[in-house]
Amino acid sequence: MKKNTNKTKRIVLSAMLIAIGIVGSTLFIPFVGGKIFFMQHFLNVIGAVLLGPLYTVINAFCISLIRNIMGTGSLLAFPGSMIGAFLSAIIYKRINKYYCAVIGEIIGTGIIGAMACYPIASVLLGKEAAIFTYVMPFLLSSISGSILALIVLKVPIFEKVIKKQKIEIKSM
């Protein structure tokens, strides 16, 4: 029974993060004539800490899929968000430090995910692009979202809730 309770909590939290990701995808930071969309990266780090690799990657996929269905997303969101979510959660799971989740998100999305977008952009979208074309915009958004997540995770009330949640999960 306790195992089902843990799974239910994770599914409910995942649904809430996905909803925040859909609604929050309209938020951006104006930057040098462009826009930095930080919400996915913020949620990847939060998910890495609270949910682990499987749920965090599924969340990233669901947010990307729903945004594409609604016409507010891009096919480039899939590799970027999912690689970042995976690396962020795996590194956090191994080292158990918030900053490790941040580093995983920045490297996973900002560098690896951005380069993984090259074949999608050139083959599926028909855009001519160099392999490093998406690195700078992906880095800017992943850095901003990840740092924002780190700030939120360091707020004492959130740290207390996270610590309590981890104890509950381990005891189940």
Side-chain angles (χ1 to χ4, degrees):
M1 182 67 177
K2 291 193 181 236
K3 188 175 183 181
N4 288 339
T5 304
N6 183 22
K7 191 172 186 179
T8 303
K9 284 182 180 182
R10 287 177 186 246
I11 291 170
V12 169
L13 182 56
S14 286
M16 288 173 24
L17 292 177
I18 291 168
I20 291 168
I22 301 303
V23 174
S25 67
T26 59
L27 301 175
F28 62 88
I29 301 169
F31 183 78
V32 192
K35 299 174 183 177
I36 296 175
F37 292 94
F38 61 90
M39 187 56 71
Q40 181 65 56
H41 315 289
F42 171 80
L43 294 173
N44 282 353
V45 173
I46 299 291
V49 171
L50 296 176
L51 297 170
L54 178 64
Y55 285 90
T56 305
V57 172
I58 291 170
N59 288 355
F61 175 79
C62 289
I63 292 169
S64 298
L65 181 64
I66 293 168
R67 287 186 61 221
N68 270 276
I69 290 169
M70 291 173 40
T72 61
S74 162
L75 289 178
L76 304 179
F78 287 100
S81 65
M82 292 171 66
I83 293 169
F86 177 75
L87 197 57
S88 178
I90 287 294
I91 292 174
Y92 178 78
K93 187 175 182 178
R94 299 264 189 260
I95 302 174
N96 206 30
K97 300 282 184 199
Y98 296 152
Y99 72 88
C100 293
V102 168
I103 291 168
E105 173 63 20
I106 292 169
I107 292 170
T109 298
I111 299 171
I112 301 169
M115 291 191 308
C117 287
Y118 168 73
I120 292 172
S122 60
V123 175
L124 295 178
L125 300 177
K127 294 182 180 178
E128 288 188 33
I131 193 161
F132 295 107
T133 301
Y134 299 105
V135 171
M136 189 52 69
F138 278 42
L139 266 176
L140 290 172
S141 62
S142 63
I143 289 170
S144 60
S146 298
I147 289 174
L148 182 61
L150 182 62
I151 291 168
V152 168
L153 289 169
K154 286 292 191 178
V155 172
I157 187 101
F158 290 118
E159 279 192 313
K160 192 175 180 180
V161 169
I162 291 167
K163 192 176 288 186
K164 181 181 178 222
Q165 186 67 22
K166 285 182 181 178
I167 290 169
E168 283 181 13
I169 289 172
K170 285 181 182 176
S171 68
M172 290 184 175

